[in-house]
Amino acid sequence: MTDSASPTSLLGRPCRRQALRTLPAQEAHVSAARHFAADLLETWSVPTSERDSAILIVDELAANAAQYGHERMTLLLALDHDTLHIVVTDSGAAVARHRPDIAPDEHGRGTGIVQYLAQSTEIHQTRSAREVRACLRRSP
C-alpha cells in the first residue's frame, strides 16, 4: 500500500494517495475488498456520500471479478485532487454478454450501477486479464 504526498501512480500520473490490495478471486473475499475500501476512504477523509458510492462500486466490481476471475483480483484506489480512481483487475478471460442460463433479473445490474455512480468507466480486456476502471469526481 502506498500513501504518500506524491507517489508515482500506477495510473500513470501522480496521485496524492493510492493503495493496492490483491485477493483471491473468490466470492468470500468480496467483503474484504469492500471493508478495505471503506476503511481506507475514511482514513483519507473522503466525505460519507462519496465514500458510500465508492464502496458500492468496489463491491460490484469485486463481485464481478470473483465471479468471472480465475485466480486473483486486484483493487487499486487512487486519490488525486478532484478524482477518486477505482480499478479492479482480475485474471479472467472475456465474458460473454448474454448468458441464457441466468435469468436477466438475477445478474447484470452491477455494471449498470457502476456506470450510474461513476463519472466515467473503462474496461480493458486482454487474453488473460480484465481491468475495470471507474472514476468519481470529488466535491469541491
Side-chain angles (χ1 to χ4, degrees):
M1 179 163 77
T2 302
D3 187 11
S4 62
S6 183
T8 301
S9 173
L10 298 174
L11 296 172
R13 61 182 168 271
C15 284
R16 290 186 325 178
R17 297 179 169 160
Q18 66 182 20
L20 183 70
R21 178 109 192 242
T22 300
L23 298 162
Q26 300 169 355
E27 191 173 320
H29 294 281
V30 172
S31 65
R34 185 176 56 247
H35 290 293
F36 172 74
D39 293 346
L40 186 68
L41 296 174
E42 184 175 0
T43 300
W44 288 351
S45 300
V46 172
T48 303
S49 63
E50 295 171 15
R51 188 169 60 231
D52 290 346
S53 293
I55 292 165
L56 184 54
I57 289 171
V58 167
D59 188 60
E60 294 296 335
L61 295 180
N64 284 346
Q67 183 174 5
Y68 299 112
H70 298 296
E71 296 172 15
R72 67 191 174 285
M73 60 179 159
T74 302
L75 169 63
L76 168 66
L77 297 171
L79 181 65
D80 63 21
H81 297 288
D82 62 352
T83 305
L84 173 65
H85 305 271
I86 301 167
V87 183
V88 176
T89 305
D90 67 67
S91 56
V95 176
R97 289 282 179 203
H98 177 68
R99 294 206 28 209
D101 60 322
I102 298 177
D105 60 340
E106 294 295 320
H107 295 286
R109 293 188 183 129
T111 55
I113 290 169
V114 171
Q115 289 173 346
Y116 177 78
L117 292 173
Q119 277 65 47
S120 66
T121 59
E122 296 177 24
I123 299 172
H124 301 277
Q125 180 72 51
T126 66
R127 181 170 283 201
S128 61
R130 177 182 32 258
E131 176 185 274
V132 182
R133 295 179 179 220
C135 297
L136 290 170
R137 296 259 184 244
R138 298 201 50 221
S139 301

